Amino acid sequence: MADQSPDLIRASIEETRRELAFSVNDLRSKVTELTDWRKQLAENRNAALAGAAVAGFVVGGGIAATFSLFSGRRRR
């Protein structure tokens, strides 16, 4: 490296800066795409609906069981 001229070193630094700027912009666009929840929901609508149905069933059953337990009404 000691035998490189200052112009070669500057050119290398500038090339590295350009590559880094490109990489950062590429990463930014990928992160934006992956965190776009509306797009993810649209692409996975059936899975989201199934998950919401299961969650509703579980929560509803838990609430019903809790009210039944505290109201003193028990099945025989």
Side-chain angles (χ1 to χ4, degrees), residues 28-48:
R28 183 180 294 135
S29 68
K30 287 178 182 177
V31 167
T32 300
E33 180 181 335
L34 290 173
T35 57
D36 184 3
W37 65 270
R38 287 181 179 97
K39 181 181 176 189
Q40 296 292 330
L41 181 62
E43 290 176 353
N44 301 295
R45 186 172 307 273
N46 290 339

Side-chain angles (χ1 to χ4, degrees), residues 17-36:
R17 284 182 182 161
R18 281 191 293 276
E19 290 174 359
L20 183 59
F22 176 78
S23 295
V24 167
N25 286 333
D26 188 44
L27 181 61
R28 183 180 294 135
S29 68
K30 287 178 182 177
V31 167
T32 300
E33 180 181 335
L34 290 173
T35 57
D36 184 3

Side-chain angles (χ1 to χ4, degrees), residues 1-2 6-7 15 32-33 38 65 69 71 74:
M1 187 153 199
D7 289 334
E15 177 64 23
T32 300
E33 180 181 335
R38 287 181 179 97
L69 182 68
S71 69
R74 296 187 183 168

Side-chain angles (χ1 to χ4, degrees), residues 49-65:
L49 289 173
V54 169
F57 182 76
V58 169
V59 170
I63 291 172

